[in-house]
Amino acid sequence: MRVYVEDVARHAGEEVTVRGWLYHRRSSGKLHFLLVRDGTATIQCVMFVKDVPPELFERAGRLPQESSLEVTGTVRADARSPLGYELAVRDLRVLQEADEYPITPKEHGPAFLLDHRHLWLRSSRQHAIMRVRASVVRACREYFDRRGFTLLDAPIFTPAACEGTTTLFGVDYFGTPAYLTQSGQLYIEAGAMAFGKVYCFGPTFRAEKSKTRRHLTEFWMIEPEVAFADLDDDMALAEDFLVEVVGRVVAERRAELATLERDLAPLERVQKPFPRVRYEEALALLAADGKPLAFGNDFGGDEETVLSQRFDRPVIVHRYPAASKAFYMKPDPADPRLALCVDVLAPEGYGEIIGGGQREDDLAALERRIAEHNLPADAFGWYLDLRRYGTVPHAGFGMGIERMVAWLCGLHHVRETIPFPRMLERLTP
Ligand code: 4AD
Ligand code: MG
């Protein structure tokens, strides 16, 4: 019977056939130990010289890594293997004998590995990271699906900027200039007025010209938007969402996180309440840590790292100076220099994973902001309609999937958190 490796436990003592790729081979005279992976898991297949024809034994002894195979044998308990089982091989069929595989156990630099990303994805670490990513996406979607949010996808071709004009990717849309979306927010604001609670999930694009370990030019964002919500509601939603998503991913992906040698203790501390600090309090903390910053400046990666290292769980920073923020943010009525906005910084130095806030819901104020930001008024006519026809307070946020995965997996750089990363100097493979 053909089985997936992850299901062999159900066939102990039976003969099964698995199909996969040779991950590693070790031989000792009369025995070959063939590690075969099929994408679901990896199993050690033990080929004993007496159990197979001599030419097959000889061929198995020189099979290159990543050759595709079909292996038939009996499932045996094996306490030493992480899977708990191995295969006693009776037959092996080589589907394709691979060329010499370029990725070897020796240390390769990141550029070489990224050039071979289409192959690198087969390695155990990358496999573990992608499975964590899949669980993050599922947990995020289920969080909102179970709470009555409607999924409302935002367009990718857009006529105008959402997050500032400096990081726009322009495209020629049948002769009209258009841009790849930076965020679905403006569209799900329309959605919130139609459905109350909505979220979108999709790729977003920013022409980030700096090389940092946190920036991609194409990344995936999940963005909820809620009508009648204010900044406090927004912060509570972000906190509840993170606690649930982190908890579910840790529970579901223990094996993968172990492969990545991720210390789970910091993730298990992700419980309510998260510390909340105002921007100005954060400035004081930064000054105390030898990173003074003048009022008005946004935090860069360094500041976020220093701040997030001060806390043992995600920290909520709110009310940044309005001048450094996007046009749609509502000023704080108690101090209009500040915006009713929020960032959530992940601990262990990871920095911002969520950004959001309460939106400007007043038509005249929004018209002024659009003009101040030199944005093309005609492209925002539809958005202003949302303030003409039953405007209400509303708020939301966006969480970048890649930054979340980098933190959960304990990775140094976001480039390993997406199957095919796009960065300033990388468009291939
Ligand atoms: O803080 P940002 O720019 O917020 C927005 O786009 C809002 N419109 C979202 C909203 O309120 N609906 O981006 C949100 C998140 C960041 O916290 C970060 O996790 C991620 O998106 N992000 C990036 N991830 C990878 N590479 C980049 N270049 C990113 N830029 C933002
Ligand atoms: Mg931000």
Side-chain angles (χ1 to χ4, degrees), residues 196-379:
K197 296 183 277 188
V198 292
Y199 74 97
C200 64
F201 174 58
T204 47
F205 306 86
R206 301 209 188 160
E208 304 278 3
K209 283 161 203 103
S210 56
K211 288 193 260 182
T212 82
R213 61 196 187 91
R214 294 177 186 163
H215 289 90
L216 296 165
T217 54
E218 179 177 315
F219 61 98
W220 288 65
M221 192 161 33
I222 187 142
E223 300 179 80
E225 190 72 29
V226 183
F228 302 102
D230 62 13
L231 181 64
D232 283 337
D233 299 325
D234 203 37
M235 293 197 277
L237 181 67
E239 180 184 63
D240 192 62
F241 167 73
L242 275 181
V243 169
E244 176 160 316
V245 170
V246 172
R248 284 200 48 191
V249 174
V250 169
E252 202 171 292
R253 292 298 174 201
R254 287 201 108 76
E256 284 78 5
L257 293 169
T259 297
L260 297 166
E261 295 170 353
R262 177 64 162 113
D263 176 9
L264 296 186
L267 301 180
E268 280 157 356
R269 278 194 297 269
V270 180
Q271 301 297 339
K272 293 182 201 178
F274 295 172
R276 294 182 189 203
V277 301
R278 301 170 66 97
Y279 167 83
E280 286 159 292
E281 292 170 296
L283 285 186
L285 296 177
L286 284 170
D289 282 340
K291 285 245 165 226
L293 196 71
F295 178 92
N297 291 302
D298 210 349
F299 301 148
D302 286 353
E303 285 85 14
E304 285 175 16
T305 300
V306 168
L307 263 178
S308 65
Q309 272 163 347
R310 278 187 155 257
F311 301 93
D312 72 346
R313 61 192 74 197
V315 53
I316 297 178
V317 184
H318 57 98
R319 294 180 167 81
Y320 288 72
S324 67
K325 290 291 177 182
F327 76 95
Y328 53 72
M329 293 199 178
K330 190 174 176 66
D332 186 353
D335 180 352
R337 292 176 313 149
L338 307 178
L340 293 175
C341 67
V342 56
D343 276 0
V344 183
L345 312 185
E348 302 171 82
Y350 277 90
E352 181 192 339
I353 49 171
I354 283 182
Q358 191 174 334
R359 320 307 185 188
E360 179 55 79
D361 48 10
D362 179 77
L363 177 64
L366 195 54
E367 280 173 332
R368 272 200 308 278
R369 296 280 289 173
I370 289 173
E372 281 163 17
H373 281 244
N374 293 317
L375 293 167
D378 47 335

Side-chain angles (χ1 to χ4, degrees), residues 121-170:
L121 284 171
R122 302 178 185 194
S123 77
S124 60
R125 275 180 60 84
Q126 300 307 312
H127 188 268
I129 295 166
M130 288 307 129
R131 294 246 256 199
V132 170
R133 178 186 173 101
S135 288
V136 167
V137 171
R138 178 166 53 225
C140 289
R141 298 185 73 126
E142 284 182 5
Y143 178 89
F144 294 118
D145 290 342
R146 287 177 184 163
R147 284 166 179 79
F149 285 68
T150 300
L151 171 69
L152 202 89
D153 294 315
I156 289 176
F157 288 127
T158 59
C162 177
E163 295 299 324
T165 49
T166 57
T167 61
L168 282 174
F169 273 116

Side-chain angles (χ1 to χ4, degrees), residues 16-173:
V16 300
T17 298
V18 301
R19 294 180 294 185
W21 297 265
L22 182 63
Y23 195 56
H24 184 71
R25 177 171 38 76
R26 188 160 59 81
S27 300
S28 74
K30 294 179 187 158
L31 288 168
H32 295 314
F33 299 95
L34 309 171
L35 266 188
V36 175
R37 55 165 198 89
D38 76 346
T40 68
T42 302
I43 190 164
Q44 173 163 279
C45 304
V46 185
M47 182 186 274
F48 190 40
V49 67
K50 282 200 291 201
D51 294 343
V52 294
E55 46 311 336
L56 181 57
F57 188 82
E58 192 270 327
R59 189 176 186 197
R62 53 179 171 75
L63 267 186
Q65 184 181 346
E66 296 307 318
S67 294
S68 43
L69 315 165
E70 205 170 82
V71 192
T72 301
T74 305
V75 179
R76 266 196 319 227
D78 171 25
R80 285 158 306 173
S81 96
L83 192 68
Y85 295 89
E86 62 177 20
L87 215 60
V89 180
R90 181 180 62 75
D91 195 16
L92 180 148
R93 205 155 73 85
V94 178
L95 304 177
Q96 192 243 343
E97 192 166 313
D99 286 359
E100 192 186 335
Y101 195 58
I103 301 180
T104 58
K106 75 164 196 232
E107 285 285 310
H108 295 290
F112 177 88
L113 290 169
L114 287 167
D115 285 342
H116 293 85
R117 184 61 171 167
H118 49 295
L119 302 177
W120 188 25
L121 284 171
R122 302 178 185 194
S123 77
S124 60
R125 275 180 60 84
Q126 300 307 312
H127 188 268
I129 295 166
M130 288 307 129
R131 294 246 256 199
V132 170
R133 178 186 173 101
S135 288
V136 167
V137 171
R138 178 166 53 225
C140 289
R141 298 185 73 126
E142 284 182 5
Y143 178 89
F144 294 118
D145 290 342
R146 287 177 184 163
R147 284 166 179 79
F149 285 68
T150 300
L151 171 69
L152 202 89
D153 294 315
I156 289 176
F157 288 127
T158 59
C162 177
E163 295 299 324
T165 49
T166 57
T167 61
L168 282 174
F169 273 116
V171 288
D172 170 26
Y173 196 77

